[in-house]
Amino acid sequence: MTNATAHPDHQVFHEHRRLLFSVAYRLLGTAADAEDVVQDAWIKWSVADRSQVADPKAYLTRIVSNLALERLRSTRHKRETYVGPWLPEPILTGGDASEAVSEAESVSMAMLVVLETLSPLERAVFVLKEVFAFSHAEIAEAVERSEAAVRQAAHRAREHVRARRPRFATDRARQREATERFFAAATGGDVNALMELLSPDVTLWTDGGGKVRQALRPVVGAATVAAWFAAIGTVTYQGVEPADMKAELVEINGGAGMVFSGPGGVVATVTFDFDADGRIIAIHNVANPDKLQAVADGTTYDIGTQ
């Protein structure tokens, strides 16, 4: 698809490409799989009889949803046998996402982790309904199920998400400030300053995928988590000496996060989830090199829903 303007059909696909990635990424939780699905959708679109397509956006979303559902079902076993906690693949975000709180929330690490616990059908229905505001009838067509089945799946998914993902009043400026303070405290090795920012029952999830040494179980409690981060500035981390470790604040998955890099490239990303009081309740640390490609490439994704 080198020259999107060369052909009207290319142009139509190109116009919706960002939206298609947005759908696929929320359904799959990995940028690499989402890109593959969008590419497969392009191939299907190229050979389709487009004279019969009244609404290209709905048609393309349907193709992407179906392809993503197929992939979700086939990768399920892989995720169940994963070494240690499975976390989504982080992406750099930008653009209007910082203003649209609901869009940012729907792509946050914390939300994607919850979506991972849904069945593939429930996940597809939830994302299309709650995030992209599709009607039950449109979703039924997209996932090739009856409208009644879709309504049922939507209800189950909503209850499940609500139980695991309380909706906190999101003050994004406050969250960014807390992240900046955490960044300063972690890079300065200041345990006490870190403790002040953490909820007493904070949980740190680390995903090394068996490729690098990481905690295979969640690390729980403010004192333990603070000590873990304070040590980053003083000990060798994944073979990188403290003097060679670079940390920077960036926007990851719609919120402020941190990227740690060594001479060989990106070694980890860190993102935060906050409780109602603005304290850090969960930290997601992705260190599996297979999942850092999108961040290492420096691609900034617009995860808008329009």
Side-chain angles (χ1 to χ4, degrees), residues 119-155:
S119 75
L121 178 66
E122 286 167 354
R123 184 171 185 164
V125 171
F126 182 86
V127 167
L128 293 173
K129 181 85 184 75
E130 302 296 323
V131 183
F132 293 93
F134 276 59
S135 70
H136 289 117
E138 288 170 323
I139 297 168
E141 209 180 321
V143 299
E144 295 168 354
R145 289 289 199 291
S146 72
E147 210 174 312
V150 163
R151 280 180 191 280
Q152 235 180 344
H155 177 72

Side-chain angles (χ1 to χ4, degrees), residues 152-219:
Q152 235 180 344
H155 177 72
R156 280 198 310 271
R158 214 173 22 248
E159 294 295 299
H160 184 95
V161 171
R162 203 176 284 151
R164 286 163 179 75
R165 183 92 194 108
R167 281 195 112 36
F168 299 128
T170 313
D171 181 340
R172 294 179 66 76
R174 198 166 154 203
Q175 289 188 7
R176 173 144 194 107
E177 189 210 343
T179 305
E180 285 167 0
R181 284 171 60 201
F182 186 97
F183 179 79
T187 48
D190 187 341
V191 175
N192 291 335
L194 285 169
M195 290 280 287
E196 283 171 26
L197 296 163
L198 300 171
S199 161
D201 51 358
V202 62
T203 305
L204 163 65
W205 304 84
T206 69
D207 178 344
K211 306 286 174 85
V212 292
R213 271 188 66 130
Q214 286 292 324
L216 293 180
R217 286 187 187 81
V219 179

Side-chain angles (χ1 to χ4, degrees), residues 41-276:
W42 162 247
I43 292 163
K44 279 186 179 280
W45 171 252
S46 302
V47 298
D49 177 4
R50 290 178 300 272
S51 63
Q52 304 298 309
V53 177
D55 181 350
K57 182 177 164 185
Y59 181 84
L60 286 165
T61 307
R62 190 161 73 233
I63 292 177
V64 160
S65 302
N66 263 312
L67 289 167
L69 258 177
E70 274 171 38
R71 195 170 280 243
L72 258 186
R73 291 188 184 111
S74 65
T75 56
R76 224 147 183 215
H77 174 67
K78 236 195 297 190
R79 292 185 190 181
E80 281 163 6
T81 55
Y82 194 78
V83 179
W86 186 96
L87 292 178
E89 183 184 350
I91 55 172
L92 301 172
T93 52
D96 301 333
S98 45
E99 278 77 63
V101 172
S102 60
E103 286 182 0
E105 157 66 9
S106 71
V107 82
S108 69
M109 279 283 173
M111 178 59 96
L112 291 175
V113 166
V114 173
L115 292 182
E116 195 59 28
T117 62
L118 297 173
S119 75
L121 178 66
E122 286 167 354
R123 184 171 185 164
V125 171
F126 182 86
V127 167
L128 293 173
K129 181 85 184 75
E130 302 296 323
V131 183
F132 293 93
F134 276 59
S135 70
H136 289 117
E138 288 170 323
I139 297 168
E141 209 180 321
V143 299
E144 295 168 354
R145 289 289 199 291
S146 72
E147 210 174 312
V150 163
R151 280 180 191 280
Q152 235 180 344
H155 177 72
R156 280 198 310 271
R158 214 173 22 248
E159 294 295 299
H160 184 95
V161 171
R162 203 176 284 151
R164 286 163 179 75
R165 183 92 194 108
R167 281 195 112 36
F168 299 128
T170 313
D171 181 340
R172 294 179 66 76
R174 198 166 154 203
Q175 289 188 7
R176 173 144 194 107
E177 189 210 343
T179 305
E180 285 167 0
R181 284 171 60 201
F182 186 97
F183 179 79
T187 48
D190 187 341
V191 175
N192 291 335
L194 285 169
M195 290 280 287
E196 283 171 26
L197 296 163
L198 300 171
S199 161
D201 51 358
V202 62
T203 305
L204 163 65
W205 304 84
T206 69
D207 178 344
K211 306 286 174 85
V212 292
R213 271 188 66 130
Q214 286 292 324
L216 293 180
R217 286 187 187 81
V219 179
V220 182
T224 322
V225 171
W228 196 92
F229 275 98
I232 286 181
T234 58
V235 298
T236 301
Y237 179 70
Q238 290 180 36
V240 180
E241 296 292 331
D244 295 329
M245 184 69 83
K246 197 172 102 222
E248 57 182 322
L249 268 174
V250 293
E251 188 183 294
I252 300 174
N253 287 70
M258 296 160 60
V259 172
F260 290 93
S261 309
V266 174
V267 292
T269 64
V270 176
T271 52
F272 306 93
D273 195 24
F274 299 85
D275 67 14

